[in-house]
Structure formats: C-alpha cells, structure tokens
Amino acid sequence: MREIVLDTETTGLDPYADHRLVEIGCIELINHMPTGRQYHQYINPQRPMPIEAFNVHGLGDEFLKDQPVFAEVADDFLEFIGDDSILVIHNAAFDMKFLNAELEWLDKPRIAMDRALDTVQMARKKFPGSPVSLDALCRRFKIDNSNRTLHGALLDSDLLALVYLELLGGRQHGLSLDPNAQNADGGGDTKRVLGPKSNRLEPRPHVISDAELAAHQAYIETKVKEALWLKKNEA
C-alpha cells in the first residue's frame, strides 16, 4: 500500500481570496514504511507575501520570486502522488482546498477528497479533548521537533510521517530509533526519527534571521492571547 504524507505552505487561509501555494512537501510510505522518496517544491505565488504568513513560514518575496509557478510543477507533483495513493494530511481540508484550487485554475482534474486521510481527525478520536496540533503530538510521542522554529512543508511532512505511524500503533509499524537521541535527562527513552539520516530533510536554502524568529514568536504569542480571549468570552 502506497501512502503520501503531504503538507503545504501558503500566502494565507483561502485560495478564493487571492491566496496561493508557496511550498509543497511529500514523503512516500509503502506499507507504512518510509522509502526515502520525497517531493519538495517551493512555488512563486505571483503575489506579495502577507507579513502574517511570512511570520509563520519565513518564505518571503525575495526568495520566492525565483521559484517556478505552480503551472510549471503541477505535472511533476501529480506524477509523484499518483492516481490512487492515500494522502496523509494534518487538517486535510485546508491543504486539499489549496491544491484543488490551483489545479482548477489550470483546468486539471481535482484530487478526490476521499483520497485524503486527516491525521487531525485520527488524533481527536484517539485522544479526545487533548491538543492535536503537530507540535502537541510530537511532544506526546517524544518526537524531536526542535528544528521546527518555523513551519516548512517538507519538515512538517517529515514530522507528520512519524506522528502518523505512532497514531497507527507505533514501533510495530517499523519506526526506527536513533540510539544517539537520548532524552536530555539521560533517561532510557529515545526520540523517534524517520529512517536513515541520509533520507531526512536537507537544510532549508534560506537563512532565518534572529529578527524573523522573534517576529514568529510574537505572532504565536498573539494567537495564543486571541485564543484565550475567545475562550473566556465564549464561557
């Protein structure tokens, strides 16, 4: 069975409000095992990057202007995901909406929603009432996400592949363990990693400055405050 763990980054929340894809990352699994094959592509959105989105993923206009537009990479992307592979996506409705909008604008067939397996829904069923963000699930499963200072489609797909395998039942599905990744306290619990190091994510081709990291942290703090205010006023 072939599955594709998939994530995207975008300029905003709604493709029908002039927002576009800027990054796609995919990890191939065969029978729940990572093969080392992956697809990764930055995309020129042909529009300015809003600061709110930049603060999340750090992909700015200067970097993206030299990347191909979606029309130039669509066929390669479709070839990688194939016609019937299951697409494992965290909050699938969001990513599928953007992918299908981009395909629609090129008069290409849409990807059927029934191909998408939503790991948010899986996690909610497994851990009702608990946080199910990617970071929260990484903490729950002791998956090392220390490189995730900013969102990134391939990095997040890499982490999601580990989370997905844990949601399926963990090590009996073939997770390999890095014997050198011990807990900070020296305990016996190891942090789980995906396959051999040579198959893992390469460094991002652009450098995030201290100012950008500070802006990202400030953005997250603002969102937390907004969520707390909404919760308080809904009570």
Side-chain angles (χ1 to χ4, degrees):
M1 177 179 63
R2 184 175 189 259
E3 298 167 302
I4 303 297
V5 185
L6 183 152
D7 186 59
T8 66
E9 299 298 336
T10 70
T11 64
L13 300 178
D14 187 352
Y16 299 104
D18 193 33
H19 288 294
R20 305 295 298 272
L21 288 173
V22 295
E23 186 183 8
I24 303 173
C26 301
I27 302 283
E28 181 186 64
L29 305 179
I30 300 292
N31 297 327
H32 305 316
M33 287 289 293
T35 66
R37 288 192 67 214
Q38 57 191 34
Y39 174 88
H40 183 220
Q41 182 63 60
Y42 294 109
I43 298 165
N44 181 348
Q46 299 178 288
R47 55 146 293 161
M49 179 65 68
I51 187 62
E52 295 85 0
F54 176 80
N55 287 341
V56 170
H57 50 58
L59 298 173
D61 298 335
E62 189 66 23
F63 173 74
L64 292 171
K65 71 178 183 180
D66 296 324
Q67 305 301 323
V69 298
F70 184 76
E72 297 176 89
V73 302
D75 289 340
D76 287 342
F77 166 69
L78 291 172
E79 180 181 359
F80 184 85
I81 67 170
D83 295 328
D84 54 8
S85 299
I86 296 170
L87 305 179
V88 180
I89 308 173
H90 206 62
N91 191 16
F94 178 86
D95 301 84
M96 292 291 283
K97 178 170 66 173
F98 268 92
L99 290 167
N100 279 327
E102 295 278 4
L103 292 170
E104 178 184 317
W105 295 328
L106 296 177
D107 293 323
K108 292 182 178 292
R110 294 166 62 90
I111 304 168
M113 274 299 299
D114 61 10
R115 289 183 59 185
L117 189 160
D118 192 344
T119 48
V120 168
Q121 298 303 319
M122 287 182 67
R124 284 176 177 164
K125 290 179 181 178
K126 194 175 183 71
F127 308 114
S130 297
V132 294
S133 69
L134 187 56
D135 283 334
L137 292 170
C138 285
R139 288 192 296 271
R140 175 180 286 275
F141 294 128
K142 296 183 174 62
I143 293 168
D144 183 4
N145 65 342
S146 57
N147 288 332
R148 196 181 188 240
T149 53
L150 291 172
H151 290 214
L154 189 58
L155 172 60
D156 288 0
S157 293
D158 196 23
L159 293 172
L160 181 57
L162 293 168
V163 165
Y164 174 55
L165 296 179
E166 289 289 353
L167 289 170
L168 290 173
R171 279 196 277 178
Q172 68 265 35
H173 286 271
L175 276 174
S176 60
L177 298 177
D178 179 356
N180 298 315
Q182 298 290 330
N183 281 347
D185 61 5
D189 243 353
T190 57
K191 294 179 180 178
R192 284 138 192 191
V193 298
L194 183 61
K197 187 174 181 181
S198 61
N199 287 342
R200 290 180 59 77
L201 178 67
E202 294 298 322
R204 293 168 71 98
H206 61 297
V207 177
I208 305 302
S209 69
D210 290 341
E212 290 167 356
L213 288 176
H216 176 64
Q217 291 168 351
Y219 175 75
I220 297 301
E221 289 172 4
T222 299
K223 290 301 181 184
V224 170
K225 289 178 182 177
E226 288 177 359
L228 292 173
W229 183 88
L230 286 172
K231 185 176 180 181
K232 180 180 178 181
N233 283 272
E234 287 173 355

